[in-house]
């Protein structure tokens, strides 16, 4: 099928598993598990400015880091069980990853959410600002990626 | 009533992590494992697959997002009706709902970065577990971006 040239089952099952993780966190602790906050809350161990010492960051920095460690363990488990031996290599240039990353980090924190915070937790809460945020970043991301692929192939 | 137990739990943290907080850390880790396994299985830890979605060649990301939202929607709706408190205590949180210019401007900037590198904050971390050490560049970038955002925000 043209929409899914690489099959669709692994996408759906993967998505259901991601949702199960967010749901389990909520069921056990009541916490809302977006991912971008860990990049701010971890700075609170070093930086003493009022922004980084806000209770919202300081009180969540431990579980957010544990959540992030879980991500790595989960991916390692997948690699061990289903990954087929070879590591997953990323072919993009370091500069592209770095520059893209800076904008991703700055934008997600300014917007208070990313693909998981706004995309999963926000949409699942039927949150209108999150829906607007998702539509906005989908639009700018699609435009940017298409422009870049044109430049690369020209 | 559940908030009082929460605050006492926080207050007793002298040197050792209180029992409830330890449960919280374990819960967050296990939840993260499911999340990371799902990200890997769905190949979302591969920037190329994300860029293939953004250039409209493979719509798999929509299934991933849709599946995740569906399960989470049910959990967020159902659990607070079935129980007054989460299983480990505390309170059921709510996704913060703030609508201002920063929400949209930030999302626009996030999208431009996402379109450049195909990496979101979660997959950047998860990918390390599958040996994608190149993602350390993205993590460094995201951490730097978050640092600049925090230092330039007045609040």
């Amino acid at each position: 099928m043209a929409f899914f040239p690489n099959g669709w089952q692994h996408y759906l099952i993967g998505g259901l598993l991601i949702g199960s993780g967010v749901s389990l966190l909520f069921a056990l602790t009541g916490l809302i598990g977006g991912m971008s906050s860990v990049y701010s809350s971890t700075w609170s161990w070093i930086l003493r400015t009022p922004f980084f010492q806000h209770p919202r960051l300081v009180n969540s920095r431990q579980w957010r880091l544990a959540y992030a460690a879980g991500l790595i363990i989960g991916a390692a488990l997948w690699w061990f069980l289903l990954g087929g031996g070879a590591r997953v290599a990323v072919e993009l240039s370091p500069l592209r990853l770095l520059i893209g990353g800076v904008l991703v980090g700055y934008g997600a924190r300014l917007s208070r959410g990313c693909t998981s915070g706004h995309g999963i937790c926000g949409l699942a809460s039927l949150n209108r600002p999150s829906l607007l945020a998702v539509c906005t970043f989908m639009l700018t991301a699609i435009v940017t990626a298409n422009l870049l692929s044109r430049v690369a192939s020209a | 009533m559940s908030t009082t137990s929460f605050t006492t739990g926080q207050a007793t943290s002298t040197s050792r992590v209180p029992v409830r907080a330890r449960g919280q850390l374990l819960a967050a880790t296990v939840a993260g494992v499911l999340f990371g396994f799902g990200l890997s299985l769905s190949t979302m830890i591969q920037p190329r697959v994300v860029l293939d979605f953004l250039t409209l060649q493979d719509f798999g990301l929509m299934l991933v997002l849709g599946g995740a939202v569906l399960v989470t929607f049910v959990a967020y709706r159902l659990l607070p009706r079935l129980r007054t408190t989460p299983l480990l205590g505390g309170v059921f949180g709510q996704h913060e709902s703030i609508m201002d210019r920063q929400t949209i401007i930030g999302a626009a900037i996030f999208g431009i970065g996402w379109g450049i590198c195909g990496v979101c904050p979660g997959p950047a971390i998860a990918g390390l577990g599958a040996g994608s050490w190149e993602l350390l560049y993205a993590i460094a970038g995201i951490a730097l971006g978050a640092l600049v955002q925090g230092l330039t925000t007045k609040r």
Side-chain angles (χ1 to χ4, degrees), chain A residues 36-112:
Chain A
S36 71
S37 297
V38 71
Y39 291 89
S40 295
S41 67
T42 304
W43 282 116
S44 75
W45 262 294
I46 311 169
L47 296 166
R48 295 278 165 254
T49 66
F51 176 88
F52 285 105
Q53 288 303 308
H54 194 283
R56 197 181 55 237
L57 294 181
V58 172
N59 294 340
S60 72
R61 62 189 180 186
Q62 289 191 331
W63 75 260
R64 287 192 189 280
L65 217 49
Y67 197 36
L71 281 187
I72 298 179
I73 299 168
L77 205 63
W78 168 83
W79 187 19
F80 181 70
L81 296 173
L82 306 168
R87 76 180 190 96
V88 180
V90 178
E91 72 275 35
L92 296 181
S93 73
L95 193 65
R96 204 167 153 177
L97 291 170
L98 192 67
I99 292 174
V102 170
L103 296 174
V104 162
Y106 182 85
R109 295 319 304 143
L110 189 66
S111 183
R112 300 178 210 88

Side-chain angles (χ1 to χ4, degrees), chain B:
Chain B
M1 46 168 187
S2 47
T3 27
T4 39
S5 70
F6 185 76
T7 40
T8 44
Q10 295 277 348
T12 51
S13 68
T14 44
S15 59
R16 293 179 64 86
V17 183
V19 176
R20 206 178 79 71
R22 247 183 286 169
Q24 191 186 62
L25 290 185
L26 188 64
T29 308
V30 176
V33 169
L34 273 170
F35 201 133
F37 194 94
L39 281 175
S40 309
L41 183 70
S42 62
T43 60
M44 290 298 120
I45 56 169
Q46 299 176 34
R48 176 51 54 198
V49 179
V50 173
L51 292 177
D52 280 348
F53 163 73
L54 293 175
T55 51
L56 312 178
Q57 299 173 67
D58 183 338
F59 287 80
L61 190 142
M62 282 286 112
L63 287 180
V64 180
L65 186 59
V69 169
L70 186 73
V71 175
T72 309
F73 171 76
V74 173
Y76 281 4
R77 286 273 139 158
L78 212 58
L79 289 167
R81 282 180 203 181
L82 296 176
R83 294 181 52 90
T84 51
T85 61
L87 292 163
L88 296 178
V91 283
F92 284 116
Q94 275 196 331
H95 186 268
E96 66 173 345
S97 176
I98 303 174
M99 184 65 228
D100 56 17
R101 274 173 53 212
Q102 293 184 338
T103 306
I104 300 306
I105 294 171
I109 296 171
F110 170 81
I112 293 170
W114 194 34
I116 291 174
C117 66
V119 181
C120 335
I125 300 170
L128 295 181
S132 305
W133 54 264
E134 299 94 334
L135 292 174
L136 286 171
Y137 291 112
I139 292 178
I142 299 171
L144 186 62
L147 174 68
V148 172
Q149 191 273 329
L151 292 178
T152 53
T153 298
K154 37 187 182 300
R155 203 160 10 119

